[in-house]
Amino acid sequence: MRPILIALFALLNILASAQAPALIPYQAIARNVDGQPVVNSAVNARFTIHNETVTGESVWQETHSTSTGATGLINVQLGSIVSLSGVNWSTGAKFLQMELDFGSGFITC
């Protein structure tokens, strides 16, 4: 009986261990300063993951060149350009920063 319990606990430990995500789906509506959606426009979207605080050490970053849809929707897969495997998800809080550039430089959203 004891070997069976040990085997079950070992299996549970393997199944419960955290895995880094391969991709993170991300959607947002791009809006102008008046709160209106920015529709059918080219945009560069830069994503940065910071450790511990909003302004903490940058541990990952990638930039997507995409466009907004008819409703201003941006739809990207984080990790599709720069792998997320280098992010140590097991230590501390992580914060995602998103910046948009419609041609005049990046602004934090």
Side-chain angles (χ1 to χ4, degrees), residues 15-35:
L15 295 175
S17 63
Q19 298 294 316
L23 298 173
I24 299 174
Y26 187 91
Q27 291 184 329
I29 301 291
R31 297 182 183 274
N32 63 20
V33 293
D34 298 323

Side-chain angles (χ1 to χ4, degrees), residues 5-6 8-9 11 14 21 31 36-37 39 46 50 54-55 75 77-79 85 88-89 96-97 102 104 107 109:
L5 288 176
I6 291 172
L8 286 174
F9 281 120
L11 181 60
I14 291 169
R31 297 182 183 274
Q36 299 301 311
V39 300
R46 181 166 59 195
H50 297 276
V54 175
T55 57
N75 187 14
Q77 295 283 330
L78 304 182
S85 65
N88 186 352
W89 298 100
L96 178 64
Q97 176 185 13
F102 289 98
S104 302
I107 55 168
C109 301

Side-chain angles (χ1 to χ4, degrees), residues 50-89:
H50 297 276
N51 258 345
E52 302 297 332
T53 65
V54 175
T55 57
E57 173 193 10
S58 172
V59 296
W60 174 88
Q61 186 176 79
E62 74 179 15
T63 302
H64 289 261
S65 294
T66 187
S67 58
T68 61
T71 60
L73 182 68
I74 296 169
N75 187 14
V76 297
Q77 295 283 330
L78 304 182
S80 63
I81 297 171
V82 177
S83 174
L84 291 162
S85 65
V87 178
N88 186 352
W89 298 100

